Amino acid sequence: MQSSQLVAIIKRLVAMQEDQSAEVQERRFEKDGDLKATVSYDPQAQAFELEDSNIHQQFQFDNIDLVAMELYDLLAD
């Protein structure tokens, strides 16, 4: 049985939230070496910002589940 990609995504996002520094955290999400998205988390605003690398558009989320689903969709393509 293959491990859940969604759980792995959520774990990376939670790690961003749990970092104790006041700095913005950033992670790259790739598939087969191809950058799909960059996600940053601003602890002051308690919000995620996702940049879709294919269309170079940014989206903001205040809900971890929504950003995780968007990332899952980008990585599944």
Side-chain angles (χ1 to χ4, degrees):
M1 181 174 182
Q2 187 176 7
S3 61
S4 172
Q5 291 180 349
L6 192 53
V7 169
I9 292 169
I10 290 173
K11 284 183 180 180
R12 290 183 70 189
L13 296 174
V14 167
M16 292 170 73
Q17 286 181 317
E18 291 178 345
D19 188 278
Q20 298 299 311
S21 69
E23 297 177 17
V24 173
Q25 297 292 310
E26 186 172 288
R27 301 288 189 280
R28 295 167 49 97
F29 289 83
E30 300 175 355
K31 182 175 182 180
D32 300 326
D34 184 31
L35 180 64
K36 295 294 184 177
T38 303
V39 176
S40 59
Y41 178 72
D42 183 350
Q44 301 297 331
Q46 295 184 343
F48 291 95
E49 182 175 280
L50 180 147
E51 181 178 352
D52 183 332
S53 298
N54 294 328
I55 60 174
H56 303 288
Q57 189 171 0
Q58 296 177 343
F59 305 94
Q60 291 192 341
F61 299 90
D62 61 0
N63 183 301
I64 195 170
D65 293 327
L66 296 177
V67 71
M69 289 188 296
E70 186 67 28
L71 280 167
Y72 180 83
D73 287 343
L74 287 172
L75 294 170
D77 288 344

